[in-house]
Amino acid sequence: MSGPSYAVRVAEDPADREMCFAVRKQVFVVEQGVPEDLEYDAYDAVAVHVLAVRDDGVALGTGRLLYGARAAEKVGGDLTLGSLGRLAVAEEARGLGVGVALVRAIEDAARARGLAAVDLHAQTHALGFYERLGYEAYGPEYLEAGIPHQGMRRAL
């Protein structure tokens, strides 16, 4: 049995961005207990946000790409790296391929900007998901917002 039909797009207008933020609030703030003041940051204003939307208009997932100077602040100064972050899939959409579609859309946005690789900070429970998509872990495990994370990277 297949799941609902959905599309992934770049969140261009304020309504799309509000849907992105609503998914993030549900997943990170409500489900995972991340403080709201840590979830939303100055990077949101300059990031490329992607959004998965079901055919009936319900938001299913989101993620963002930082690039240029903003990403360099997160990835050690390398301007050829993009930073994938805030990947969130609504509970009812998990297991339907939404996360994979969002990661691939972020990678496409990175390629379109001439980036050589995408870096991310994965929650450790999600390492297998990203490894299946070609990401490789590096460095030590660390805490971010009280949640264990691991750095990962994929060349494009």
Side-chain angles (χ1 to χ4, degrees), residues 1-73:
M1 185 169 134
S2 65
S5 181
Y6 63 89
V8 176
R9 65 179 185 246
V10 173
E12 299 284 0
D13 61 47
D16 278 356
R17 286 192 180 223
E18 286 306 313
M19 286 196 287
C20 292
F21 297 150
V23 171
R24 284 171 45 187
K25 183 172 186 168
Q26 181 59 40
V27 172
F28 295 125
V29 178
V30 175
E31 290 179 28
Q32 297 182 358
V34 173
E36 228 170 319
D37 62 329
L38 291 180
E39 175 51 32
Y40 306 102
D41 59 27
Y43 295 115
D44 282 326
V46 295
V48 176
H49 297 268
V50 295
L51 176 66
V53 181
R54 202 167 61 197
D55 287 348
D56 65 1
V58 173
L60 299 179
T62 187
R64 75 179 186 187
L65 171 70
L66 298 175
Y67 63 96
R70 270 61 173 219
E73 294 168 12

